[in-house]
Amino acid sequence: MTIKRYGAEGGVGTGGQKLPFSRAVEAGGWLKVSGQTPMTDGEVVEGGIVEQSRLAFENALTIAREAGYDIEDVVHVTAVLTDSRYFQSFNKVFAEYFKDHPPARICSVQDLVVDCKVEVDLTCYRADRA
């Protein structure tokens, strides 16, 4: 089994900081997409939980698609919210994206190291790439 790393050269975080991890790693048909926040060009995009959730999902799905996976290949999502009051609104955005193919999920409330409301990661699987 080979391991393929996407974006191992490091992305850009807040303040232009070079990030020391891969954007995604693929092995045996599995793709793990690193946690994505509502950032564009290394800066958090302002907005409420709905807007921030959509951008976090778009960022994660963009990486998955670059690796050859799509939304129907998502088998698990980890979501971190910074406030439990965001849960219902986050669920509505989640349902928009995964209505026909809901993955397993864990959602927790914690502080994030980036000043935003949400972070999501994806685990994808494609048997034809195993």
Side-chain angles (χ1 to χ4, degrees):
M1 174 174 63
T2 61
I3 297 174
K4 184 171 183 179
R5 300 174 198 289
Y6 297 88
E9 67 280 357
V12 177
T14 54
Q17 172 189 7
K18 184 178 183 290
L19 301 175
F21 52 84
S22 297
R23 292 169 16 113
V25 176
E26 180 181 23
W30 293 94
L31 181 76
K32 297 287 288 184
V33 177
S34 291
Q36 298 298 304
T37 56
M39 285 188 166
T40 301
D41 298 323
E43 296 300 324
V44 173
V45 174
E46 293 300 318
I49 186 61
V50 170
E51 296 82 13
Q52 287 201 1
S53 295
R54 284 185 181 134
L55 184 54
F57 276 123
E58 286 302 320
N59 289 343
L61 288 167
T62 294
I63 295 166
R65 289 178 180 125
E66 288 170 1
Y69 293 75
D70 212 332
I71 196 161
E72 64 272 2
D73 302 316
V74 177
V75 296
H76 189 269
V77 172
T78 302
V80 178
L81 307 176
T82 58
D83 191 317
S84 61
R85 293 174 290 185
Y86 298 152
F87 187 70
Q88 293 299 335
S89 295
F90 174 80
N91 265 345
K92 288 179 184 175
V93 174
F94 187 90
E96 286 174 16
Y97 280 90
F98 299 106
K99 59 184 168 237
D100 295 330
H101 35 77
R105 182 183 91 184
I106 185 169
C107 187
S108 64
V109 176
Q110 337 175 22
D111 290 334
L112 292 171
V113 297
V114 176
D115 188 19
C116 61
K117 297 171 175 56
V118 60
E119 180 173 356
V120 297
D121 77 13
L122 306 177
T123 301
C124 304
Y125 180 74
R126 284 188 43 185
D128 63 321
R129 295 177 75 153

